[in-house]
Amino acid sequence: MPGNPYLPVSVKVEKITVENDAKDLKTFDFSFVEPAARKAFEFIPGQFGFLSIMGTGEAPFGIASAPSEEFIKYTVKRVGGFTTTLHELEPGTVIGMRGPWGNSYPLDLMQGKDVVIVSGGFSFTTLRSTIVYLLDPKRRKSYGKITCVYGARSAGELLYKEELKAWESSPDIDLHLCVDKLGADAWPKTEGLVPNVLKQVVPSAKNAIALVCGPPIMLKFTFPVLLELDFAPEMIVVSLEMRMKCGIGKCGRCNIGNTYVCKDGPVYTYRQLQSLPAEY
Ligand SMILES: Cc1cc2nc3c(=O)[nH]c(=O)nc-3n(C[C@H](O)[C@H](O)[C@H](O)COP(=O)(O)OP(=O)(O)OC[C@H]3O[C@@H](n4cnc5c(N)ncnc54)[C@H](O)[C@@H]3O)c2cc1C
Ligand code: FES
């Protein structure tokens, strides 16, 4: 977005979707008040934006929509002051947004390769953006097989349930959903933690790249599985969520060693992470 990077543009809440049984995860669809701002907001899956509410503050969130979609989507968990105020907004409210910031998933490097997507909990947001992007009929043939292992604590905690159900029956993506504990629902069918289910799925590492996003504990147990499956450390790509303030490499709030997650990341290869202190 050109101009002053600290200056938010005005966005209007078009739609709010409650995603989970606990009702602490909501997806917000935003339109731009100024149509020119929509044009200027050119983003790539994996990037993030800051939402700001006058009198409350601002916070970073991964962009959950794909560039081809009309509205900019964020899926937000209610955890503290800012996110609680956000959750109380009604459709029609105008707030601020700045970005898009950060790098993205390596979409060019992924071309011609199989793509293995591994995610847990509500970190699935930017991977939803990536899946919608990859499944676009205009570019689906540019990528190989798409395998996705996505898990949550229970069926009620899985995001984007309608889309997941559609993807489950799509020949364009091999989707494996899992939950820590099967409930009374017949869906999904697999009980197990994401790294264990990944082990059972055994995706081939041949000419493949793995995209990983999830809580630190999931990352810790997923990396060894991918390495065992023969994924090279530079073919494992992970998106990190460090605390941030400015989002543009100025304040030093988000550094790990000599890298600023807001500017150099949030997407890193496992090879890069190996040379950084394990602060993520
Ligand atoms: C690049 C990036 C992308 C993100 N994407 C999303 C997203 O798509 N959806 C989403 O819900 N959240 C996302 N987050 C986290 C989100 O920014 C925080 O949850 C939010 O700032 C909390 O603000 P708050 O005022 O409500 O809570 P606070 O009062 O600031 O904190 C409440 C609790 O949340 C914890 N917390 C705050 N920030 C983070 C963080 N960055 N990582 C882990 N724990 C944190 C605090 O330790 C505390 O326990 C992202 C963060 C980053 C840096
Ligand atoms: S958040 Fe300020 S340098 Fe990254």
Side-chain angles (χ1 to χ4, degrees):
M1 193 176 278
N4 181 348
Y6 292 108
L7 205 60
V9 295
S10 298
V11 289
K12 184 164 90 173
V13 181
E14 290 289 343
K15 189 175 151 204
I16 301 173
T17 309
V18 178
E19 294 284 354
N20 63 339
D21 290 351
K23 297 189 171 36
D24 60 359
L25 279 163
K26 288 185 178 177
T27 296
F28 298 83
D29 284 47
F30 292 101
S31 64
F32 287 82
V33 173
E34 295 293 336
R38 173 67 186 98
K39 268 204 162 149
F41 194 88
E42 275 180 21
F43 69 95
I44 312 171
Q47 289 192 290
F48 64 94
F50 272 72
L51 294 177
S52 58
I53 302 175
M54 189 71 92
T56 300
E58 64 170 358
F61 301 98
I63 302 170
S65 47
S68 57
E69 292 178 291
E70 184 183 2
F71 299 127
I72 306 293
K73 270 183 206 296
Y74 294 93
T75 300
V76 175
K77 187 174 172 79
R78 190 183 63 235
V79 291
F82 182 82
T83 49
T84 298
T85 306
L86 192 69
H87 268 237
E88 285 162 359
L89 298 184
E90 298 286 344
T93 313
V94 172
I95 66 166
M97 182 175 81
R98 61 189 183 94
W101 304 136
N103 61 0
S104 65
Y105 292 112
L107 300 167
D108 289 344
L109 178 69
M110 284 153 59
Q111 286 209 17
K113 294 189 174 58
D114 288 353
V115 181
V116 178
I117 290 172
V118 188
S119 186
F122 68 97
S123 301
F124 190 55
T125 58
T126 55
L127 290 172
R128 180 223 175 250
S129 165
T130 309
I131 292 173
V132 175
Y133 178 91
L134 297 176
L135 293 183
D136 186 326
K138 284 203 304 282
R139 63 174 72 84
R140 178 63 191 91
K141 284 197 173 70
S142 308
Y143 298 89
K145 182 176 179 189
I146 302 171
T147 305
C148 174
V149 176
Y150 169 44
R153 261 176 297 143
S154 63
E157 297 304 302
L158 289 165
L159 301 178
Y160 319 127
K161 294 178 187 60
E162 291 312 311
E163 275 173 327
L164 294 179
K165 283 177 183 165
W167 293 341
E168 268 188 318
S169 55
S170 163
D172 284 327
I173 178 167
D174 182 21
L175 179 64
H176 300 263
L177 297 175
C178 56
V179 287
D180 296 2
K181 191 117 200 74
L182 285 181
D185 291 350
W187 181 86
K189 296 187 195 79
T190 307
E191 187 172 274
L193 301 173
V194 168
N196 296 339
V197 175
L198 179 65
K199 234 186 245 177
Q200 290 157 18
V201 171
V202 204
S204 168
K206 202 172 162 220
N207 194 34
I209 186 162
L211 313 184
V212 188
C213 193
I217 187 79
M218 190 207 91
L219 299 182
K220 184 176 165 199
F221 289 102
T222 297
F223 293 143
V225 176
L226 288 169
L227 294 171
E228 226 169 84
L229 289 168
D230 240 8
F231 279 83
E234 51 279 3
M235 288 297 154
I236 302 173
V237 170
V238 56
S239 181
L240 300 180
E241 282 189 11
M242 294 298 284
R243 302 293 192 78
M244 292 183 186
K245 203 140 195 86
C246 70
I248 53 171
K250 301 283 185 206
C251 72
R253 179 75 175 88
C254 66
N255 81 297
I256 303 179
N258 60 1
T259 183
Y260 288 146
V261 177
C262 67
K263 202 161 140 274
D264 308 322
V267 175
Y268 293 86
T269 64
Y270 184 62
R271 169 78 74 211
Q272 288 171 312
L273 291 191
Q274 283 175 315
S275 62
L276 294 175
E279 292 166 1
Y280 45 89

